[in-house]
Amino acid sequence: MKTRTEFDSIGSLEIPVDAYYGVQSLRAKNNFHITKKSMHYEFINSLAQIKKASAITNEHAGLLNYKIANVISIACDEIINGKFHDQFIVDAVQGGAGTSANMNANEVIANRAIELLGCTKGDYTVVHPNDHVNMAQSTNDVIPTAGKLTILKLIPNLLNELEELYSALILKSKEFDHIIKMGRTQLQDAVPMRLGQSFHAYAKVINRDITRIKEAIKEVEYVNMGGTAIGTAINTSPMYLHHIVENLSLITGISFKQADDLIDATQNLDCFVSVSNALKTCAVNLSKFSNDLRLLSSGPRTGLHEINLPAKQNGSSIMPGKVNPTQCESVTMVAVQIIANDTAVGMAASQGNFELNVFMPVCIYNFLQSVRLLSDVMISFNDHCAVGIKANREKMKHNLHNSLMLVTALNPYIGYDNAAKTSKKAYKENISLKEACVQLGFLTAEKFDEVFHPEEMA
């Protein structure tokens, strides 16, 4: 394999002659074998968009000549369009606050720009990764901004899937609105309700999650671009400082705002914690909802079996005909992972010291995994479960009329204590509530029929 020799302040390394990455990227690849996963493709695109915005802004400021700014922009556009992603060789989690990821982007863009000018990759006298591609920037404003940009790209898809689930549940609430079932508290019979009411409640909590996430992501619209190393804007021009965020907004189509305190925005990651917590809350609600569906569909003969979930695959390698609620299970498993990821994001945000939080890479890695997992599981759940839920009306009717807690309707007529006696007698002697109430002398049969209407209790 043909190689070229590149140097950094540590020493020299041999780089494959055709590689667009350089010495600092390769050194980072050799140093970090943590997740064994590359950076998220949208995070790579975000880095390229930031580099393009910076090149344009520095050219407008008169600090970067047009020829170099132009080839940097072209190289960035190529990356944004999906080219050269295999040249981003740094592990998704790395030490150094993301310097390795930033330099990987700088080197790939520089070498492609060099190539576009007809020169040889690795000749950094033509286009330099630090002096040109990274001009007026620092890892410490680039990486947090790239993380925020990536979040704002990915969250809309998740919100769309949650909206789909909300709509499906609203439709089910209307479809099931006339069906009476037993409500349950502490897994015990409670009082009657409509199945449509259950599904409307599920829809409402999903709608709340949508609102919560939309509010939380407003915090990541504020970026610290222009702050460079610690937020003091060292090595930037006034033109760059005051226009980099505006140009980034034009390039991305996302309305970013420059943080009013760049030092604060450089050292604190609480906005990531807020959005991660909104995802965790959503995951908690989805898990509760999914577990309810699992219980309501349990059986089919020895469980509740009040609803039927779509049968999508065999549920056992040994028990013929068994069908399991696998879509609900997958939602709960994803929820468990998201709750764990949220803990990691919170811990990462708490570990920064003074003017920089160096744990940004693990914060971004866990958050982006949460977004991806939640989006993907929602697509699967919506397509393979939510829209196909059916009501088992006969089983709900049977459960309703066998429930002893319908006795609650008698409280206004015979009092709580006498209602409790009625329920206990009916249970002990395996007779109906009507028979028990009449035998105890609390109501006549005619009066019982007059006041006892389970359907009206919902």
Side-chain angles (χ1 to χ4, degrees):
M1 179 180 66
K2 292 183 178 181
T3 62
R4 66 178 188 261
T5 304
E6 289 196 13
F7 300 86
D8 64 6
S9 59
I10 305 297
S12 65
L13 285 177
E14 294 300 309
I15 309 295
V17 70
D18 293 329
Y20 290 89
Y21 59 82
V23 59
Q24 295 197 50
S25 302
L26 183 58
R27 201 178 295 286
K29 181 181 186 296
N30 294 338
N31 285 339
F32 302 113
H33 301 277
I34 300 174
T35 67
K36 296 182 175 58
K37 296 179 181 178
S38 59
M39 294 176 281
H40 194 286
Y41 74 94
E42 279 294 3
F43 185 73
I44 293 171
N45 292 340
S46 296
L47 289 170
Q49 289 173 310
I50 291 168
K51 299 300 176 180
K52 179 180 179 179
S54 293
I56 291 170
T57 310
N58 283 317
E59 192 268 326
H60 289 171
L63 300 174
L64 190 64
N65 75 55
Y66 172 77
K67 182 173 70 172
I68 293 178
N70 183 55
V71 289
I72 288 174
S73 294
I74 292 171
C76 289
D77 284 337
E78 290 178 329
I79 293 168
I80 294 164
N81 290 324
K83 295 185 69 175
F84 308 117
H85 279 214
D86 62 334
Q87 299 297 301
F88 287 79
I89 60 174
V90 175
D91 195 280
V93 174
Q94 79 248 198
T99 297
S100 299
N102 187 34
M103 284 309 304
N104 198 164
N106 290 333
E107 289 178 342
V108 171
I109 293 166
N111 277 309
R112 178 54 179 157
I114 291 167
E115 190 175 56
L116 288 168
L117 291 171
C119 300
T120 304
K121 289 194 286 289
D123 185 358
Y124 296 135
T125 62
V126 179
V127 180
H128 197 280
N130 298 80
D131 296 339
H132 297 133
V133 182
N134 199 62
M135 180 184 284
Q137 304 151 60
S138 165
T139 291
N140 304 344
D141 59 356
V142 168
I143 295 299
T145 301
K148 293 175 180 180
L149 174 53
T150 308
I151 288 171
L152 292 170
K153 290 177 186 177
L154 297 180
I155 285 291
N157 182 56
L158 171 60
L159 290 172
N160 286 340
E161 293 304 325
L162 290 172
E163 293 278 7
E164 286 289 326
L165 177 58
Y166 170 76
S167 297
L169 293 175
I170 286 294
L171 287 175
K172 289 297 174 184
S173 74
K174 294 175 181 177
E175 178 185 345
F176 299 153
D177 194 52
H178 64 288
I179 303 171
I180 307 298
K181 67 180 289 290
M182 282 304 298
R184 295 177 178 88
T185 58
Q186 287 116 316
L187 297 180
Q188 307 298 308
D189 296 349
V191 293
M193 64 185 302
R194 300 192 303 278
L195 183 61
Q197 291 173 317
S198 291
F199 276 79
H200 193 270
Y202 297 143
K204 288 294 289 185
V205 74
I206 298 303
N207 191 53
R208 231 177 9 258
D209 284 317
I210 293 168
T211 301
R212 189 179 290 114
I213 293 170
K214 285 180 177 178
E215 285 299 312
I217 61 173
K218 291 178 181 179
E219 294 189 44
V220 300
E221 294 173 355
Y222 291 86
V223 296
N224 67 328
M225 282 305 297
T228 66
I230 64 170
T232 57
I234 189 171
N235 292 348
T236 66
S237 64
M239 174 72 176
Y240 180 92
L241 178 61
H242 295 126
H243 292 280
I244 178 56
V245 175
E246 173 189 339
N247 286 333
L248 182 61
S249 297
L250 289 173
I251 287 170
T252 62
I254 295 172
S255 182
F256 284 109
K257 307 167 189 68
Q258 191 173 52
D260 58 6
D261 188 326
L262 294 174
I263 293 175
D264 161 46
T266 302
Q267 65 182 258
N268 293 311
L269 306 183
D270 49 297
C271 62
F272 290 92
V273 179
S274 293
V275 184
S276 178
N277 187 258
L279 292 192
K280 182 194 74 172
T281 304
C282 180
V284 167
N285 290 332
L286 287 168
S287 181
K288 188 270 179 188
F289 160 59
S290 297
N291 283 323
D292 278 2
L293 295 184
R294 290 171 62 214
L295 289 170
L296 287 172
S297 67
S298 61
R301 292 193 173 179
T302 60
L304 297 179
H305 197 220
E306 293 186 341
I307 63 172
N308 296 315
L309 301 179
K312 291 295 181 178
Q313 63 188 87
N314 290 338
S316 174
S317 62
I318 189 173
M319 293 173 280
K322 193 172 191 292
V323 178
N324 294 330
T326 52
Q327 290 296 320
C328 297
E329 292 165 355
S330 67
V331 171
T332 298
M333 284 189 278
V334 164
V336 169
Q337 185 63 60
I338 290 172
I339 293 167
N341 288 351
D342 179 68
T343 299
V345 170
M347 289 301 296
S350 75
Q351 297 302 303
N353 303 112
F354 304 118
E355 278 66 57
L356 178 66
N357 190 315
V358 303
F359 304 103
M360 171 62 72
V362 75
C363 179
I364 293 174
Y365 173 75
N366 280 276
F367 182 85
L368 294 184
Q369 185 189 58
S370 291
V371 177
R372 179 183 63 79
L373 288 174
L374 196 52
S375 298
D376 289 350
V377 82
M378 281 293 91
I379 292 171
S380 180
F381 184 82
N382 289 340
D383 291 345
H384 300 300
C385 185
V387 297
I389 298 172
K390 303 295 183 184
N392 193 339
R393 293 170 172 78
E394 290 304 314
K395 187 61 186 291
M396 277 184 276
K397 182 178 180 180
H398 172 79
N399 289 342
L400 174 70
H401 288 280
N402 271 352
S403 173
L404 296 174
M405 287 303 99
L406 294 179
V407 76
T408 306
L410 300 178
N411 284 357
Y413 305 99
I414 63 176
Y416 180 93
D417 290 338
N418 287 340
K421 292 175 183 177
T422 300
S423 176
K424 288 181 179 180
K425 180 178 177 65
Y427 177 70
K428 184 177 180 180
E429 299 180 14
N430 195 27
I431 59 177
S432 68
L433 289 172
K434 179 178 180 180
E435 291 172 312
C437 187
V438 171
Q439 288 179 21
L440 288 169
F442 299 143
L443 291 174
T444 65
E446 293 76 14
K447 185 64 176 177
F448 185 95
D449 291 338
E450 181 184 328
V451 301
F452 190 74
H453 299 286
E455 291 76 12
E456 295 179 1
M457 296 173 70

